[in-house]
Amino acid sequence: MRNPEEVDGFDGEASNTSMISGASSPYQPTTEPVHSRNVLGDIRCDTEYLKSNFGILKIVEVSLSLIAFICIETIMLCLPCGGVYFFEFVSCSASVVTGFLLLVFGLNLHGKVPHVNWSLTDLVNTAASTFFFFLSSIVLAALNHKSGSEIAAVIFGFLVTCVYGFNTFLAVRQWRKGDGRSSAVQTGEYTRARTASRGEMEAQPELQ
């Protein structure tokens, strides 16, 4: 039989061994808190964008498009109705798409989908809306029956065309500036990479 002292010594060595092995084990329980990813954390009202030129223009575009759509919807009798239907489709589509982009930029949602070129998307939308609003307004003005609703729709159609045209001008200018900056950055990175690789080749000793 073992003496109590031997048993105590054995237990002490075992406990020390377990502490040492536990301290050196790579599978240690972490004490750092695990933060859950909040998907809706970045959604916020971007007041700076809403106060900018693009934000104000989009608010005006959505408002005028909706007013033009309401005016064309109040027409009860039309013959022919091709111009009315075309203007109705353009005003409804423009208000929906522009309202969606206003929501995306106003709530900072474009950062959630970085793979989409939102600047180019906005440019295409404004350019297409300018063209189709101008075309549909001309067609409606040529085929209207001099009713108050049709005249009001034509007036708001040309107004929103001017606003979309100005927005397109600003979007093109911003897109060109952004494209120039990205080209300059890419050129600078390429030059630095070439310089670094050339320095490494000069530093290597020649093989005899």
Short mmCIF file of all heavy atoms in Angstrom, two decimals, residues 97-159:
data_model
loop_
_atom_site.label_atom_id
_atom_site.label_comp_id
_atom_site.label_asym_id
_atom_site.label_seq_id
_atom_site.Cartn_x
_atom_site.Cartn_y
_atom_site.Cartn_z
N VAL A 97 -38.07 53.33 -60.89
CA VAL A 97 -36.62 53.08 -60.93
C VAL A 97 -35.86 54.17 -60.18
O VAL A 97 -34.96 53.90 -59.38
CB VAL A 97 -36.14 52.96 -62.38
CG1 VAL A 97 -34.62 52.78 -62.42
CG2 VAL A 97 -36.81 51.78 -63.07
N THR A 98 -36.22 55.42 -60.44
CA THR A 98 -35.54 56.52 -59.75
C THR A 98 -35.83 56.50 -58.25
O THR A 98 -34.94 56.80 -57.43
CB THR A 98 -35.97 57.87 -60.35
OG1 THR A 98 -35.76 57.84 -61.76
CG2 THR A 98 -35.15 59.01 -59.75
N GLY A 99 -37.06 56.15 -57.88
CA GLY A 99 -37.38 56.02 -56.45
C GLY A 99 -36.59 54.91 -55.79
O GLY A 99 -36.15 55.04 -54.64
N PHE A 100 -36.37 53.81 -56.52
CA PHE A 100 -35.54 52.72 -55.99
C PHE A 100 -34.11 53.16 -55.79
O PHE A 100 -33.50 52.88 -54.73
CB PHE A 100 -35.59 51.52 -56.95
CG PHE A 100 -34.64 50.42 -56.59
CD1 PHE A 100 -34.89 49.58 -55.52
CD2 PHE A 100 -33.47 50.24 -57.32
CE1 PHE A 100 -34.00 48.56 -55.19
CE2 PHE A 100 -32.59 49.23 -57.00
CZ PHE A 100 -32.85 48.39 -55.93
N LEU A 101 -33.54 53.87 -56.75
CA LEU A 101 -32.17 54.37 -56.60
C LEU A 101 -32.06 55.40 -55.49
O LEU A 101 -31.05 55.44 -54.76
CB LEU A 101 -31.69 54.97 -57.93
CG LEU A 101 -31.45 53.98 -59.07
CD1 LEU A 101 -31.08 54.72 -60.34
CD2 LEU A 101 -30.38 52.96 -58.71
N LEU A 102 -33.09 56.22 -55.34
CA LEU A 102 -33.09 57.18 -54.23
C LEU A 102 -33.11 56.44 -52.89
O LEU A 102 -32.42 56.85 -51.93
CB LEU A 102 -34.31 58.09 -54.34
CG LEU A 102 -34.52 59.10 -53.21
CD1 LEU A 102 -33.35 60.08 -53.14
CD2 LEU A 102 -35.83 59.86 -53.41
N LEU A 103 -33.85 55.35 -52.81
CA LEU A 103 -33.87 54.55 -51.58
C LEU A 103 -32.53 53.89 -51.33
O LEU A 103 -32.05 53.84 -50.19
CB LEU A 103 -34.98 53.49 -51.68
CG LEU A 103 -35.25 52.66 -50.43
CD1 LEU A 103 -35.83 53.52 -49.32
CD2 LEU A 103 -36.21 51.51 -50.75
N VAL A 104 -31.90 53.39 -52.38
CA VAL A 104 -30.60 52.71 -52.24
C VAL A 104 -29.53 53.68 -51.75
O VAL A 104 -28.78 53.39 -50.81
CB VAL A 104 -30.19 52.07 -53.58
CG1 VAL A 104 -28.73 51.64 -53.55
CG2 VAL A 104 -31.07 50.88 -53.90
N PHE A 105 -29.45 54.85 -52.37
CA PHE A 105 -28.43 55.83 -51.98
C PHE A 105 -28.80 56.54 -50.68
O PHE A 105 -27.93 56.86 -49.87
CB PHE A 105 -28.22 56.85 -53.08
CG PHE A 105 -27.53 56.30 -54.29
CD1 PHE A 105 -28.21 56.16 -55.49
CD2 PHE A 105 -26.21 55.90 -54.25
CE1 PHE A 105 -27.60 55.66 -56.61
CE2 PHE A 105 -25.57 55.38 -55.36
CZ PHE A 105 -26.27 55.26 -56.55
N GLY A 106 -30.09 56.80 -50.48
CA GLY A 106 -30.51 57.52 -49.27
C GLY A 106 -30.36 56.73 -48.01
O GLY A 106 -30.12 57.29 -46.93
N LEU A 107 -30.47 55.39 -48.10
CA LEU A 107 -30.30 54.52 -46.93
C LEU A 107 -28.95 53.83 -46.90
O LEU A 107 -28.74 52.90 -46.13
CB LEU A 107 -31.42 53.46 -46.89
CG LEU A 107 -32.84 54.00 -46.68
CD1 LEU A 107 -33.84 52.83 -46.67
CD2 LEU A 107 -32.94 54.80 -45.39
N ASN A 108 -28.05 54.24 -47.77
CA ASN A 108 -26.68 53.69 -47.80
C ASN A 108 -26.69 52.19 -48.06
O ASN A 108 -25.88 51.44 -47.50
CB ASN A 108 -25.96 54.00 -46.48
CG ASN A 108 -24.46 53.91 -46.60
OD1 ASN A 108 -23.90 54.07 -47.69
ND2 ASN A 108 -23.78 53.64 -45.51
N LEU A 109 -27.60 51.74 -48.92
CA LEU A 109 -27.70 50.32 -49.24
C LEU A 109 -26.74 49.90 -50.34
O LEU A 109 -26.51 48.70 -50.52
CB LEU A 109 -29.13 49.97 -49.67
CG LEU A 109 -30.23 50.15 -48.61
CD1 LEU A 109 -31.59 49.87 -49.22
CD2 LEU A 109 -29.99 49.23 -47.43
N HIS A 110 -26.19 50.85 -51.08
CA HIS A 110 -25.29 50.49 -52.17
C HIS A 110 -24.00 49.85 -51.65
O HIS A 110 -23.33 49.12 -52.38
CB HIS A 110 -24.96 51.71 -53.02
CG HIS A 110 -24.35 52.84 -52.25
ND1 HIS A 110 -25.08 53.66 -51.42
CD2 HIS A 110 -23.07 53.27 -52.16
CE1 HIS A 110 -24.27 54.55 -50.86
NE2 HIS A 110 -23.05 54.34 -51.30
N GLY A 111 -23.64 50.11 -50.39
CA GLY A 111 -22.46 49.47 -49.82
C GLY A 111 -22.65 47.99 -49.56
O GLY A 111 -21.68 47.25 -49.43
N LYS A 112 -23.91 47.53 -49.50
CA LYS A 112 -24.18 46.12 -49.29
C LYS A 112 -23.90 45.29 -50.54
O LYS A 112 -23.64 44.09 -50.44
CB LYS A 112 -25.65 45.94 -48.88
CG LYS A 112 -26.02 46.56 -47.55
CD LYS A 112 -25.40 45.82 -46.39
CE LYS A 112 -25.86 46.39 -45.06
NZ LYS A 112 -25.26 45.66 -43.92
N VAL A 113 -24.00 45.92 -51.71
CA VAL A 113 -23.76 45.21 -52.97
C VAL A 113 -22.65 45.94 -53.71
O VAL A 113 -22.90 46.73 -54.64
CB VAL A 113 -25.05 45.16 -53.83
CG1 VAL A 113 -24.85 44.23 -55.03
CG2 VAL A 113 -26.23 44.70 -52.98
N PRO A 114 -21.40 45.74 -53.32
CA PRO A 114 -20.30 46.48 -53.95
C PRO A 114 -19.98 46.01 -55.36
O PRO A 114 -19.23 46.69 -56.07
CB PRO A 114 -19.11 46.22 -52.99
CG PRO A 114 -19.43 44.90 -52.37
CD PRO A 114 -20.93 44.84 -52.24
N HIS A 115 -20.51 44.84 -55.77
CA HIS A 115 -20.19 44.33 -57.10
C HIS A 115 -20.94 45.09 -58.20
O HIS A 115 -20.58 44.96 -59.37
CB HIS A 115 -20.53 42.84 -57.18
CG HIS A 115 -19.83 42.00 -56.16
ND1 HIS A 115 -18.47 41.76 -56.22
CD2 HIS A 115 -20.27 41.38 -55.05
CE1 HIS A 115 -18.12 41.00 -55.18
NE2 HIS A 115 -19.19 40.77 -54.46
N VAL A 116 -21.95 45.85 -57.85
CA VAL A 116 -22.71 46.64 -58.82
C VAL A 116 -22.11 48.03 -58.93
O VAL A 116 -21.84 48.68 -57.91
CB VAL A 116 -24.20 46.73 -58.42
CG1 VAL A 116 -24.98 47.59 -59.41
CG2 VAL A 116 -24.81 45.33 -58.32
N ASN A 117 -21.88 48.46 -60.15
CA ASN A 117 -21.38 49.82 -60.38
C ASN A 117 -22.58 50.77 -60.30
O ASN A 117 -23.26 51.03 -61.30
CB ASN A 117 -20.70 49.90 -61.75
CG ASN A 117 -19.92 51.20 -61.93
OD1 ASN A 117 -20.20 52.20 -61.26
ND2 ASN A 117 -18.97 51.19 -62.84
N TRP A 118 -22.83 51.30 -59.11
CA TRP A 118 -24.03 52.10 -58.89
C TRP A 118 -23.94 53.44 -59.60
O TRP A 118 -24.97 53.99 -60.02
CB TRP A 118 -24.24 52.30 -57.40
CG TRP A 118 -24.62 51.04 -56.70
CD1 TRP A 118 -23.83 50.26 -55.91
CD2 TRP A 118 -25.90 50.38 -56.75
NE1 TRP A 118 -24.53 49.17 -55.45
CE2 TRP A 118 -25.80 49.22 -55.94
CE3 TRP A 118 -27.11 50.66 -57.38
CZ2 TRP A 118 -26.87 48.34 -55.77
CZ3 TRP A 118 -28.17 49.79 -57.21
CH2 TRP A 118 -28.06 48.66 -56.41
N SER A 119 -22.76 54.00 -59.76
CA SER A 119 -22.62 55.26 -60.47
C SER A 119 -23.01 55.11 -61.93
O SER A 119 -23.73 55.94 -62.50
CB SER A 119 -21.19 55.78 -60.35
OG SER A 119 -20.84 56.01 -59.00
N LEU A 120 -22.55 54.02 -62.54
CA LEU A 120 -22.91 53.77 -63.94
C LEU A 120 -24.39 53.43 -64.07
O LEU A 120 -25.04 53.83 -65.04
CB LEU A 120 -22.05 52.62 -64.48
CG LEU A 120 -22.23 52.28 -65.96
CD1 LEU A 120 -21.91 53.50 -66.83
CD2 LEU A 120 -21.37 51.09 -66.35
N THR A 121 -24.94 52.70 -63.10
CA THR A 121 -26.37 52.39 -63.12
C THR A 121 -27.20 53.66 -63.04
O THR A 121 -28.20 53.82 -63.77
CB THR A 121 -26.71 51.47 -61.95
OG1 THR A 121 -25.93 50.27 -62.03
CG2 THR A 121 -28.19 51.09 -61.97
N ASP A 122 -26.81 54.58 -62.17
CA ASP A 122 -27.51 55.85 -62.06
C ASP A 122 -27.40 56.66 -63.35
O ASP A 122 -28.36 57.31 -63.79
CB ASP A 122 -26.94 56.63 -60.88
CG ASP A 122 -27.70 57.92 -60.61
OD1 ASP A 122 -28.92 57.97 -60.91
OD2 ASP A 122 -27.10 58.87 -60.11
N LEU A 123 -26.22 56.63 -63.97
CA LEU A 123 -26.02 57.35 -65.23
C LEU A 123 -26.91 56.80 -66.33
O LEU A 123 -27.54 57.56 -67.09
CB LEU A 123 -24.55 57.26 -65.63
CG LEU A 123 -24.17 57.84 -67.00
CD1 LEU A 123 -24.53 59.31 -67.09
CD2 LEU A 123 -22.69 57.63 -67.27
N VAL A 124 -26.98 55.48 -66.45
CA VAL A 124 -27.83 54.86 -67.48
C VAL A 124 -29.30 55.19 -67.24
O VAL A 124 -30.05 55.49 -68.18
CB VAL A 124 -27.59 53.34 -67.50
CG1 VAL A 124 -28.61 52.65 -68.41
CG2 VAL A 124 -26.18 53.01 -67.96
N ASN A 125 -29.72 55.16 -65.99
CA ASN A 125 -31.12 55.46 -65.68
C ASN A 125 -31.48 56.91 -66.03
O ASN A 125 -32.53 57.17 -66.64
CB ASN A 125 -31.39 55.21 -64.20
CG ASN A 125 -32.76 55.66 -63.78
OD1 ASN A 125 -33.79 55.13 -64.21
ND2 ASN A 125 -32.83 56.66 -62.91
N THR A 126 -30.63 57.84 -65.65
CA THR A 126 -30.92 59.24 -65.93
C THR A 126 -30.90 59.53 -67.43
O THR A 126 -31.75 60.28 -67.94
CB THR A 126 -29.92 60.16 -65.21
OG1 THR A 126 -28.58 59.75 -65.54
CG2 THR A 126 -30.10 60.07 -63.71
N ALA A 127 -29.95 58.94 -68.15
CA ALA A 127 -29.88 59.16 -69.59
C ALA A 127 -31.09 58.56 -70.30
O ALA A 127 -31.69 59.20 -71.18
CB ALA A 127 -28.59 58.57 -70.15
N ALA A 128 -31.47 57.34 -69.93
CA ALA A 128 -32.63 56.70 -70.54
C ALA A 128 -33.92 57.44 -70.20
O ALA A 128 -34.79 57.61 -71.07
CB ALA A 128 -32.72 55.24 -70.09
N SER A 129 -34.05 57.90 -68.97
CA SER A 129 -35.25 58.64 -68.58
C SER A 129 -35.34 59.97 -69.32
O SER A 129 -36.43 60.40 -69.72
CB SER A 129 -35.23 58.89 -67.06
OG SER A 129 -35.24 57.67 -66.35
N THR A 130 -34.20 60.63 -69.53
CA THR A 130 -34.20 61.88 -70.30
C THR A 130 -34.71 61.65 -71.72
O THR A 130 -35.58 62.39 -72.23
CB THR A 130 -32.79 62.48 -70.34
OG1 THR A 130 -32.32 62.69 -69.01
CG2 THR A 130 -32.77 63.79 -71.10
N PHE A 131 -34.18 60.63 -72.36
CA PHE A 131 -34.55 60.35 -73.75
C PHE A 131 -36.03 59.96 -73.87
O PHE A 131 -36.76 60.52 -74.72
CB PHE A 131 -33.66 59.25 -74.32
CG PHE A 131 -34.07 58.77 -75.67
CD1 PHE A 131 -33.80 59.54 -76.80
CD2 PHE A 131 -34.72 57.56 -75.83
CE1 PHE A 131 -34.18 59.10 -78.06
CE2 PHE A 131 -35.10 57.12 -77.08
CZ PHE A 131 -34.84 57.89 -78.21
N PHE A 132 -36.48 59.02 -73.04
CA PHE A 132 -37.84 58.51 -73.19
C PHE A 132 -38.89 59.53 -72.72
O PHE A 132 -39.99 59.58 -73.28
CB PHE A 132 -37.99 57.20 -72.44
CG PHE A 132 -37.36 56.03 -73.13
CD1 PHE A 132 -36.21 55.45 -72.63
CD2 PHE A 132 -37.90 55.54 -74.30
CE1 PHE A 132 -35.62 54.38 -73.28
CE2 PHE A 132 -37.31 54.46 -74.97
CZ PHE A 132 -36.17 53.88 -74.46
N PHE A 133 -38.57 60.33 -71.71
CA PHE A 133 -39.50 61.38 -71.31
C PHE A 133 -39.64 62.43 -72.41
O PHE A 133 -40.75 62.93 -72.68
CB PHE A 133 -39.06 62.03 -70.00
CG PHE A 133 -39.91 61.66 -68.82
CD1 PHE A 133 -39.36 61.03 -67.72
CD2 PHE A 133 -41.27 61.94 -68.80
CE1 PHE A 133 -40.15 60.68 -66.63
CE2 PHE A 133 -42.06 61.61 -67.72
CZ PHE A 133 -41.50 60.97 -66.63
N PHE A 134 -38.52 62.79 -73.02
CA PHE A 134 -38.57 63.77 -74.11
C PHE A 134 -39.37 63.22 -75.29
O PHE A 134 -40.22 63.93 -75.86
CB PHE A 134 -37.15 64.12 -74.54
CG PHE A 134 -37.06 65.11 -75.65
CD1 PHE A 134 -37.40 66.44 -75.44
CD2 PHE A 134 -36.65 64.72 -76.92
CE1 PHE A 134 -37.33 67.37 -76.48
CE2 PHE A 134 -36.58 65.64 -77.95
CZ PHE A 134 -36.92 66.96 -77.72
N LEU A 135 -39.13 61.97 -75.64
CA LEU A 135 -39.84 61.36 -76.77
C LEU A 135 -41.33 61.21 -76.49
O LEU A 135 -42.18 61.55 -77.34
CB LEU A 135 -39.21 60.00 -77.09
CG LEU A 135 -39.79 59.24 -78.29
CD1 LEU A 135 -39.62 60.04 -79.58
CD2 LEU A 135 -39.13 57.87 -78.42
N SER A 136 -41.66 60.71 -75.30
CA SER A 136 -43.08 60.51 -74.98
C SER A 136 -43.82 61.84 -74.84
O SER A 136 -45.01 61.93 -75.18
CB SER A 136 -43.20 59.70 -73.68
OG SER A 136 -42.62 60.40 -72.58
N SER A 137 -43.15 62.87 -74.37
CA SER A 137 -43.79 64.18 -74.27
C SER A 137 -44.08 64.76 -75.65
O SER A 137 -45.15 65.37 -75.87
CB SER A 137 -42.90 65.14 -73.47
OG SER A 137 -42.69 64.67 -72.15
N ILE A 138 -43.16 64.57 -76.59
CA ILE A 138 -43.39 65.05 -77.95
C ILE A 138 -44.56 64.29 -78.59
O ILE A 138 -45.43 64.89 -79.25
CB ILE A 138 -42.11 64.90 -78.79
CG1 ILE A 138 -41.05 65.89 -78.31
CG2 ILE A 138 -42.41 65.13 -80.27
CD1 ILE A 138 -39.74 65.78 -79.07
N VAL A 139 -44.58 62.97 -78.41
CA VAL A 139 -45.66 62.17 -78.98
C VAL A 139 -47.01 62.56 -78.37
O VAL A 139 -48.01 62.70 -79.09
CB VAL A 139 -45.38 60.67 -78.77
CG1 VAL A 139 -46.57 59.82 -79.19
CG2 VAL A 139 -44.14 60.25 -79.54
N LEU A 140 -47.04 62.73 -77.06
CA LEU A 140 -48.29 63.12 -76.41
C LEU A 140 -48.74 64.51 -76.83
O LEU A 140 -49.94 64.76 -77.01
CB LEU A 140 -48.12 63.05 -74.89
CG LEU A 140 -49.38 63.35 -74.06
CD1 LEU A 140 -50.47 62.34 -74.36
CD2 LEU A 140 -49.04 63.34 -72.56
N ALA A 141 -47.79 65.43 -77.00
CA ALA A 141 -48.15 66.78 -77.45
C ALA A 141 -48.69 66.78 -78.87
O ALA A 141 -49.58 67.58 -79.22
CB ALA A 141 -46.93 67.69 -77.36
N ALA A 142 -48.20 65.85 -79.71
CA ALA A 142 -48.66 65.79 -81.10
C ALA A 142 -50.02 65.12 -81.22
O ALA A 142 -50.79 65.43 -82.14
CB ALA A 142 -47.64 65.06 -81.96
N LEU A 143 -50.33 64.20 -80.31
CA LEU A 143 -51.57 63.41 -80.42
C LEU A 143 -52.62 63.80 -79.39
O LEU A 143 -53.63 63.11 -79.27
CB LEU A 143 -51.25 61.92 -80.27
CG LEU A 143 -50.28 61.32 -81.29
CD1 LEU A 143 -50.04 59.84 -80.98
CD2 LEU A 143 -50.81 61.49 -82.71
N ASN A 144 -52.40 64.88 -78.62
CA ASN A 144 -53.35 65.20 -77.55
C ASN A 144 -54.59 65.88 -78.13
O ASN A 144 -54.60 66.37 -79.27
CB ASN A 144 -52.69 66.10 -76.49
CG ASN A 144 -52.48 67.52 -76.99
OD1 ASN A 144 -53.38 68.33 -77.02
ND2 ASN A 144 -51.23 67.81 -77.38
N HIS A 145 -55.65 65.90 -77.32
CA HIS A 145 -56.94 66.46 -77.72
C HIS A 145 -57.21 67.79 -77.02
O HIS A 145 -58.35 68.18 -76.84
CB HIS A 145 -58.06 65.47 -77.40
CG HIS A 145 -57.93 64.17 -78.14
ND1 HIS A 145 -57.10 63.16 -77.70
CD2 HIS A 145 -58.50 63.72 -79.30
CE1 HIS A 145 -57.18 62.13 -78.54
NE2 HIS A 145 -58.03 62.44 -79.52
N LYS A 146 -56.15 68.47 -76.61
CA LYS A 146 -56.25 69.78 -75.97
C LYS A 146 -57.04 69.74 -74.66
O LYS A 146 -57.59 70.74 -74.23
CB LYS A 146 -56.91 70.78 -76.92
CG LYS A 146 -56.20 70.97 -78.25
CD LYS A 146 -54.79 71.50 -78.07
CE LYS A 146 -54.16 71.84 -79.43
NZ LYS A 146 -53.97 70.66 -80.27
N SER A 147 -57.03 68.59 -74.00
CA SER A 147 -57.68 68.51 -72.69
C SER A 147 -56.73 69.01 -71.61
O SER A 147 -55.50 69.02 -71.79
CB SER A 147 -58.13 67.08 -72.38
OG SER A 147 -57.02 66.22 -72.27
N GLY A 148 -57.29 69.40 -70.47
CA GLY A 148 -56.45 69.94 -69.39
C GLY A 148 -55.47 68.92 -68.85
O GLY A 148 -54.31 69.25 -68.55
N SER A 149 -55.89 67.66 -68.72
CA SER A 149 -55.01 66.61 -68.18
C SER A 149 -53.85 66.33 -69.13
O SER A 149 -52.70 66.15 -68.69
CB SER A 149 -55.81 65.32 -67.95
OG SER A 149 -56.83 65.54 -67.01
N GLU A 150 -54.12 66.30 -70.43
CA GLU A 150 -53.05 66.04 -71.39
C GLU A 150 -52.06 67.20 -71.44
O GLU A 150 -50.83 66.97 -71.51
CB GLU A 150 -53.66 65.80 -72.77
CG GLU A 150 -54.40 64.48 -72.89
CD GLU A 150 -55.05 64.31 -74.25
OE1 GLU A 150 -55.43 65.34 -74.85
OE2 GLU A 150 -55.14 63.16 -74.71
N ILE A 151 -52.57 68.42 -71.41
CA ILE A 151 -51.67 69.58 -71.43
C ILE A 151 -50.80 69.61 -70.17
O ILE A 151 -49.58 69.87 -70.24
CB ILE A 151 -52.48 70.88 -71.56
CG1 ILE A 151 -53.18 70.93 -72.92
CG2 ILE A 151 -51.57 72.10 -71.38
CD1 ILE A 151 -54.11 72.12 -73.09
N ALA A 152 -51.41 69.32 -69.03
CA ALA A 152 -50.63 69.29 -67.79
C ALA A 152 -49.58 68.18 -67.82
O ALA A 152 -48.43 68.37 -67.37
CB ALA A 152 -51.56 69.10 -66.59
N ALA A 153 -49.94 67.01 -68.37
CA ALA A 153 -48.98 65.91 -68.46
C ALA A 153 -47.82 66.28 -69.37
O ALA A 153 -46.65 65.96 -69.07
CB ALA A 153 -49.69 64.65 -68.98
N VAL A 154 -48.11 66.97 -70.48
CA VAL A 154 -47.04 67.38 -71.39
C VAL A 154 -46.11 68.39 -70.71
O VAL A 154 -44.88 68.31 -70.84
CB VAL A 154 -47.65 67.98 -72.68
CG1 VAL A 154 -46.56 68.63 -73.52
CG2 VAL A 154 -48.35 66.90 -73.49
N ILE A 155 -46.68 69.33 -69.98
CA ILE A 155 -45.86 70.34 -69.29
C ILE A 155 -44.94 69.68 -68.27
O ILE A 155 -43.73 69.94 -68.24
CB ILE A 155 -46.76 71.39 -68.62
CG1 ILE A 155 -47.48 72.23 -69.68
CG2 ILE A 155 -45.93 72.30 -67.71
CD1 ILE A 155 -48.49 73.20 -69.10
N PHE A 156 -45.51 68.81 -67.43
CA PHE A 156 -44.68 68.13 -66.44
C PHE A 156 -43.69 67.17 -67.10
O PHE A 156 -42.60 66.93 -66.56
CB PHE A 156 -45.56 67.39 -65.43
CG PHE A 156 -46.17 68.28 -64.39
CD1 PHE A 156 -47.52 68.62 -64.45
CD2 PHE A 156 -45.40 68.80 -63.36
CE1 PHE A 156 -48.08 69.44 -63.49
CE2 PHE A 156 -45.95 69.61 -62.41
CZ PHE A 156 -47.30 69.94 -62.47
N GLY A 157 -44.06 66.62 -68.25
CA GLY A 157 -43.14 65.75 -68.97
C GLY A 157 -41.90 66.49 -69.44
O GLY A 157 -40.76 65.99 -69.29
N PHE A 158 -42.09 67.68 -69.99
CA PHE A 158 -40.93 68.47 -70.42
C PHE A 158 -40.12 69.01 -69.23
O PHE A 158 -38.90 69.12 -69.30
CB PHE A 158 -41.37 69.62 -71.32
CG PHE A 158 -41.70 69.20 -72.72
CD1 PHE A 158 -42.98 69.32 -73.22
CD2 PHE A 158 -40.71 68.68 -73.54
CE1 PHE A 158 -43.28 68.93 -74.53
CE2 PHE A 158 -40.99 68.29 -74.85
CZ PHE A 158 -42.28 68.41 -75.34
N LEU A 159 -40.81 69.32 -68.13
CA LEU A 159 -40.09 69.77 -66.93
C LEU A 159 -39.18 68.67 -66.38
O LEU A 159 -38.00 68.91 -66.08
CB LEU A 159 -41.09 70.23 -65.87
CG LEU A 159 -41.75 71.58 -66.06
CD1 LEU A 159 -42.76 71.84 -64.94
CD2 LEU A 159 -40.72 72.71 -66.10
#
